[in-house]
Amino acid sequence: MNFHESIEKNSAVLVLLIILVVAVGGLVEIVPLYFQRSTTEPVAGLKPYGPLQLAGRDIYVREGCYNCHSQMIRPFRAETERYGHYSVAGEFVYDRPFQWGSKRTGPDLARVGGRYSDEWHRIHLDNPRDLVPESNMPAYPWLARSPADASDIETKFRVLRRLGHPYSDEDIAGARKELAGKTEQDALIAYLQGLGTALKAR
């Protein structure tokens, strides 16, 4: 029995060697990315989320919007002609976790910021079929009646600052005030209106 055959007949050794090969291959592909500036530094003009945008992002995740909307434009002509410039890693430096996704029941939202007015978004969130008759997106009318949650915004900012987001003490101190009187709908719209604008501005 040769060496190769003995490995194939010993399932425990085979499994261990497969895990080792996959681990080494993964490290070789992933580790260098941590040392490339294009993947670890924000694109020019990108700013961390403000309090209203951060609250809106939490609502976006809570409501499962990522289940139907991706936020990643692939570098294919069909996609760039429809949605705009393809996505680059530096756009997502302040996303924890990122919302790339691959499911597109609805359109990609990576460049939706500034494409429609705030009023368009309000109508669309209240009842999507008022604007897009064939839409199968559910309505979210309660967002306009629910106040934005400001109870833990300072804590979120402090945690994100420890993770490398450039929030100042003044940013943290004023976060709760910026959410005063705002609804969850206001917050979600603020988040959507900021998507993709840094690269578009470039």
Side-chain angles (χ1 to χ4, degrees), residues 49 56-57 60-61 65-74 79 83 85-88 91-92 95 97-104 106-112 188 191-192 194-196:
Y49 295 118
R57 186 177 187 282
Y60 182 93
V61 172
C65 302
Y66 57 85
N67 287 316
C68 295
H69 295 282
S70 61
Q71 284 186 31
M72 184 180 69
I73 302 165
R74 293 167 290 198
E79 297 208 8
Y83 298 117
H85 194 286
Y86 58 84
S87 299
V88 298
E91 291 182 87
F92 306 99
D95 279 9
F98 55 78
Q99 300 298 308
W100 294 342
S102 59
K103 180 74 169 149
R104 285 190 183 159
D108 185 273
L109 299 179
R111 302 267 176 264
V112 76
L188 182 54
Y191 171 66
L192 293 171
L195 291 178

Side-chain angles (χ1 to χ4, degrees), residues 28-51:
V28 167
E29 287 188 3
I30 295 169
V31 170
L33 295 176
Y34 286 96
F35 300 98
Q36 288 183 2
R37 298 182 74 177
S38 64
T39 61
T40 58
E41 291 190 3
V43 296
L46 184 71
K47 295 178 181 171
Y49 295 118

Side-chain angles (χ1 to χ4, degrees), residues 29-193:
E29 287 188 3
I30 295 169
V31 170
L33 295 176
Y34 286 96
F35 300 98
Q36 288 183 2
R37 298 182 74 177
S38 64
T39 61
T40 58
E41 291 190 3
V43 296
L46 184 71
K47 295 178 181 171
Y49 295 118
L52 196 59
Q53 290 175 314
L54 190 61
R57 186 177 187 282
D58 289 343
I59 294 161
Y60 182 93
V61 172
R62 181 193 76 195
E63 297 298 335
C65 302
Y66 57 85
N67 287 316
C68 295
H69 295 282
S70 61
Q71 284 186 31
M72 184 180 69
I73 302 165
R74 293 167 290 198
F76 305 134
R77 182 177 175 183
E79 297 208 8
T80 56
E81 285 186 357
R82 179 176 182 188
Y83 298 117
H85 194 286
Y86 58 84
S87 299
V88 298
E91 291 182 87
F92 306 99
V93 171
Y94 300 129
D95 279 9
R96 295 176 186 274
F98 55 78
Q99 300 298 308
W100 294 342
S102 59
K103 180 74 169 149
R104 285 190 183 159
T105 302
D108 185 273
L109 299 179
R111 302 267 176 264
V112 76
R115 183 173 289 179
Y116 306 103
S117 68
D118 286 359
E119 186 59 27
W120 187 95
H121 282 292
R122 287 185 204 290
I123 295 168
H124 189 248
L125 288 169
D126 285 340
N127 184 17
R129 277 145 300 283
D130 286 346
L131 295 171
V132 186
E134 68 276 12
S135 175
N136 62 359
M137 174 177 156
Y140 295 90
W142 65 87
L143 296 178
R145 300 187 297 269
S146 304
D149 182 15
S151 62
D152 59 353
I153 193 67
E154 294 102 336
T155 303
K156 289 176 183 176
F157 267 43
R158 285 192 199 96
V159 169
L160 291 172
R161 182 165 70 174
R162 291 193 73 165
L163 292 171
H165 295 215
Y167 291 123
S168 66
D169 290 336
E170 293 76 26
D171 293 332
I172 296 171
R176 189 181 295 254
K177 187 176 180 182
E178 192 172 322
L179 289 173
K182 301 293 186 182
T183 66
E184 289 188 337
Q185 187 182 75
D186 294 328
L188 182 54
I189 291 171
Y191 171 66
L192 293 171
Q193 290 289 41

Side-chain angles (χ1 to χ4, degrees), residues 7 13-29:
I7 290 174
V13 172
L14 184 61
V15 167
L16 285 173
L17 288 174
I18 289 171
I19 291 170
L20 178 66
V21 168
V22 170
V24 170
L27 287 172
V28 167
E29 287 188 3

